[in-house]
Amino acid sequence: MSSLTELTKSIQQGLGLAHKRDIAEVVGKLYGSHGLRGNPAPDAPASRTAERFSLHSHAERGNDVPVGDDCAAIPDGDGFLLLASEGYLNDFVASQPWFAGYCGVMVNVSDIYAMGGRPIAVVDAIWSDGAGQAKPILEGMATAAQVYGVPVVGGHSNLRNDRPQLSVAILGRAQKLLSSFAAKPEQQLLAAIDLRGHFREPYLWWDASTGAPPERLRQDLEILPTLAETGLCDAAKDISNAGVIGTLLMLLECSGLGGVIDINAIPRPSHIDLARWLRCFPSYGFVLSVDTHDTGDVIELFSLRGIACAAIGKTDDSGRLRLKAGDAEQLLWDLNSEALIGCGPNRQD
C-alpha cells in the first residue's frame, strides 16, 4: 500500500481536485472576486451576503440559501425547488456514449437526493454528428430515466455537429435541505457507499447502478430525504469525481471548517486498492456531517439497505483537512490560505 504521504500527494495532484478548482474561477467571474472574499463587488448582485453569495426568499421566512452546493435551492412555498445540471467531457461521451447518457440522469438524480430532495424531471442538450452517433447516448438516458423513475421532459438537440456532446439538467423538490453549508464543529464525518458494484475499466468509475434492481436503487436513495426530514442530519454531499476525500474537502470549505479523516475507516471492497478507491467516483456515495448522538441511527438506516456506512473522521474549526492512517497524519489542504471551489466564508478576513 502507498504511504500516507504518497496518497495525500496523489489526491492533491489528481484531476478530480483540478476540475473542482476550476469552479473558483467561474464563481469569481460570475460574482466578483471581491464579493467572494466578504466585501461585495461594485457590480455584485444585491442578494449576496457578506460572506457568501445567496438567493434570498421573498417569503416571510427570509431563507438565506447559499450558492455552491450540489443544487441551486430556490425557496418555494413550504419547501425548496432544486435545480442542477451536469455537462460531460467530450472524450467520455465519445468513448462511452451509452454510459454517458445513463450518467446524465443518474448523476443529476444523486445531486437532488444529496440535498434531501426528490427528483421531478430532467431535460437534456445533445449534439452529435448524425442520428447514429446520438442513438446510444439517448438509449442510455432513456434506460436511466426508467430505472430511477424520472421522466425526460424536453431539451435541445443538434444532430449536425462535428462531435458528440451532452449536458443534462434536473428539477427536484425538497421539504427540508441537506447542505454543504450546514456542517458544524465536533460532528462525525460519515461516508456511505454502495460496495455492490465494479469498476468500469480502465476508468475510476465504480458502477453499482447498471444491472441493479431499479426498485432497490430508488429506495436506497430515499434514505437522504428521510435523514433531512427527521432531523438526523443537516449536512451532506454526493461523492463526485473528486473522490470521497475531495468531496469532504468541498463540504468543509462551504461550512468554513476543517477536520481529520481516517483513510482506513472509509468503506471499500476488500479487494480494491486504497489509492484507487480514494480517487474513484461511485454511482452511489455520500458524505455526511452528523451530530455524535445521531451517528448510530444514521449508520443503521444505510446498513438496513445494504449500504456500507462508517464514521471516518471529525470536523473542527481549524480550516485544515488532515488525513490520518494509524499514528501518521498529513495535511491535505489548508483552506485558510487557499480556497478550493471558492464558495466558503473567507477565513483570511
Side-chain angles (χ1 to χ4, degrees):
M1 186 182 75
S2 302
S3 71
L4 182 60
T5 301
E6 292 171 333
L7 284 171
T8 302
K9 185 175 293 186
S10 71
I11 296 169
Q12 291 170 333
Q13 299 177 351
L15 280 176
L17 286 191
H19 283 305
K20 298 306 178 184
R21 294 185 76 169
D22 292 344
I23 295 173
E25 179 71 19
V26 175
V27 164
K29 296 297 184 185
L30 285 174
Y31 295 92
S33 58
H34 297 295
L36 289 175
R37 296 189 175 278
N39 301 307
D43 57 347
S47 62
R48 192 167 61 247
T49 63
E51 289 190 339
R52 63 193 188 194
F53 42 99
S54 309
L55 175 66
H56 289 271
S57 170
H58 295 292
E60 292 77 12
R61 293 173 298 142
N63 287 307
D64 177 19
V65 181
V67 175
D69 224 321
D70 286 310
C71 301
I74 304 168
D76 176 61
D78 60 351
F80 300 85
L81 289 175
L82 300 176
L83 186 62
S85 66
E86 296 282 347
Y88 296 91
L89 296 173
N90 290 345
D91 59 350
F92 173 45
V93 180
S95 65
Q96 301 282 322
W98 185 92
F99 192 55
Y102 190 93
C103 286
V105 175
M106 178 186 72
V107 174
N108 271 300
V109 164
S110 183
D111 282 340
I112 294 291
Y113 279 104
M115 292 196 65
R118 296 176 177 89
I120 296 172
V122 300
V123 295
D124 71 288
I126 184 170
W127 296 261
S128 70
D129 184 6
Q133 198 175 63
K135 184 174 183 287
I137 302 172
L138 295 171
E139 289 176 341
M141 196 182 311
T143 299
Q146 185 174 33
V147 165
Y148 288 101
V150 184
V152 180
V153 297
H156 168 84
S157 59
N158 184 333
L159 304 185
R160 301 175 187 275
N161 197 40
D162 62 349
R163 72 197 72 183
Q165 294 176 293
L166 176 68
S167 65
V168 182
I170 191 166
L171 179 69
R173 199 172 194 283
Q175 296 178 29
K176 187 178 178 183
L177 292 179
L178 299 173
S179 173
S180 299
F181 293 85
K184 300 174 183 176
E186 303 303 315
Q187 288 186 323
Q188 297 292 316
L189 291 170
L190 274 58
I193 307 172
D194 190 348
L195 305 184
R196 298 166 293 190
H198 61 277
F199 274 115
R200 295 186 72 95
E201 301 292 355
Y203 305 100
L204 290 171
W205 309 328
W206 182 257
D207 180 6
S209 177
T210 60
E215 180 64 21
R216 193 195 81 195
L217 293 174
R218 294 193 290 267
Q219 290 302 312
D220 289 348
L221 287 165
E222 276 293 318
I223 299 172
L224 282 303
T226 298
L227 291 174
E229 291 160 12
T230 58
L232 285 173
C233 179
D234 293 321
K237 195 168 185 67
D238 78 320
I239 299 173
S240 68
N241 62 344
V244 61
I245 302 296
T247 301
L248 274 169
L249 178 59
M250 290 188 286
L251 184 150
L252 294 172
E253 179 180 7
C254 288
S255 289
L257 299 176
V260 60
I261 298 170
D262 181 352
I263 60 172
N264 292 318
I266 297 171
R268 69 180 168 107
S270 59
H271 64 287
I272 299 298
D273 176 68
L274 178 61
R276 193 180 192 200
W277 186 250
L278 293 181
R279 294 181 293 121
C280 86
F281 179 12
S283 61
Y284 185 107
F286 300 90
V287 293
L288 310 95
S289 188
V290 180
D291 288 332
T292 300
H293 58 80
D294 290 324
T295 298
D297 290 337
V298 173
I299 291 175
E300 184 178 11
L301 279 175
F302 284 104
S303 297
L304 289 172
R305 297 293 313 166
I307 305 296
C309 182
I312 64 171
K314 195 171 185 179
T315 63
D316 57 40
D317 60 3
S318 69
R320 303 166 76 246
L321 178 57
R322 291 96 63 206
L323 303 184
K324 178 183 177 183
D327 295 329
E329 187 173 295
Q330 284 284 326
L331 176 66
L332 177 83
W333 204 281
D334 187 349
L335 292 164
N336 301 294
S337 58
E338 184 178 10
L340 178 63
I341 62 174
C343 294
N346 178 30
R347 303 180 63 88
Q348 298 175 355
D349 292 344

